[in-house]
Amino acid sequence: MPFSRDFIELSCRKGVLRFGSFVTKAGRVSPYFFNAGLFDDGGSFSDLCGFYAQAILESGVAFDMLFGPAYKGIPLVAGTAIRLAGEGVNVPFAFNRKEAKDHGEGGTLIGAPLAGRVLILDDVISAGTSVRESVTVIRAHEAEPAGVVIALDRMERGQGRVSAVQEVEETYGIPVVAVATLEDLIAYLADTPELEANLAGVQAYRDAYGTHDAIR
């Protein structure tokens, strides 16, 4: 998708996507690192949420509302709802807090009541913990998860034969939509002279730890 390349370009420019030597949670030495928390100004974050909105609309996934798991999903869900409204798709959204509030409105949920088909927004899927917790919350309110939208699919095996993203799809029977995948990153590096020196390392890492089924 054209927006996938634009997203990767923005990520590199903002330092969200960095190249070097980084140790992952799985103990692997990765040649790149992605930190969505560095979309830390109004312009770049608005662009990020615009990419989420484009990915959602082009995916064709049917949904009635958006849900953002605490903490990174909170600004994502609000910003993406704004960008979707700008495209003529005005949907309610909600997010949760980690700790229950015992005064005021109380509880752990803020925003619209969870109902219908709920699309979960997060930055990445690592161990799938955030998705599992989100699905539990959504179903507890008699709503149904419609899918998950993330920024980058690393297309990297988890503990088994498939990636954390594929595990989510298989476990919950819902689609995962990514703004960009590792395949998109490799293609970008291949035709960006100032970054091409990182291509061999990323390809070698993919050969060692990757899966080869991109998600959309």
Side-chain angles (χ1 to χ4, degrees):
M1 297 292 184
F3 63 80
S4 299
R5 180 183 177 85
D6 293 340
F7 164 74
I8 292 171
E9 182 179 11
L10 173 65
S11 298
C12 292
R13 189 168 70 247
K14 277 289 294 177
V16 171
L17 189 56
R18 300 181 181 184
F19 302 94
S21 181
F22 308 92
V23 179
T24 69
K25 288 183 180 179
R28 300 166 179 168
V29 179
S30 172
Y32 71 98
F33 181 69
F34 179 81
N35 180 7
L38 295 177
F39 287 110
D40 55 5
D41 62 82
S44 67
F45 190 73
S46 176
D47 288 343
L48 172 65
C49 293
F51 293 135
Y52 269 75
Q54 289 180 69
I56 290 169
L57 294 175
E58 294 201 19
S59 74
V61 174
F63 66 100
D64 300 304
M65 67 174 297
L66 308 177
F67 176 76
Y71 289 101
K72 288 185 178 178
I74 294 175
L76 275 174
V77 76
T80 301
I82 292 170
R83 295 302 302 261
L84 282 171
E87 297 295 326
V89 181
N90 187 29
V91 293
F93 68 92
F95 54 88
N96 68 328
R97 53 166 67 97
K98 291 285 189 180
E99 304 82 17
K101 188 177 179 182
D102 59 5
H103 61 281
E105 74 275 13
T108 60
L109 287 177
I110 301 171
L114 291 174
R117 300 162 297 184
V118 183
L119 198 55
I120 302 164
L121 272 58
D122 213 342
D123 58 342
V124 295
I125 294 177
S126 298
T129 304
S130 177
V131 174
R132 181 171 62 252
E133 293 174 350
S134 298
V135 169
T136 298
V137 169
I138 290 166
R139 289 179 173 165
H141 286 77
E142 299 184 349
E144 280 301 317
V148 184
V149 188
I150 58 173
L152 180 68
D153 176 15
R154 291 177 60 99
M155 300 176 67
E156 184 176 327
R157 292 195 308 274
Q159 298 301 312
R161 64 179 178 83
V162 299
S163 70
V165 163
Q166 291 167 323
E167 287 173 356
V168 165
E169 293 190 314
E170 292 178 0
T171 300
Y172 302 108
I174 56 177
V176 177
V177 176
V179 175
T181 69
L182 183 57
E183 285 185 346
D184 295 317
L185 173 57
I186 288 173
Y188 180 77
L189 293 177
D191 61 9
T192 305
E194 61 269 30
L195 294 175
E196 192 175 4
N198 300 292
L199 178 60
V202 174
Q203 288 178 319
Y205 188 79
R206 167 114 191 245
D207 290 342
Y209 301 114
T211 62
H212 292 272
D213 297 321
I215 56 98
R216 275 293 179 222

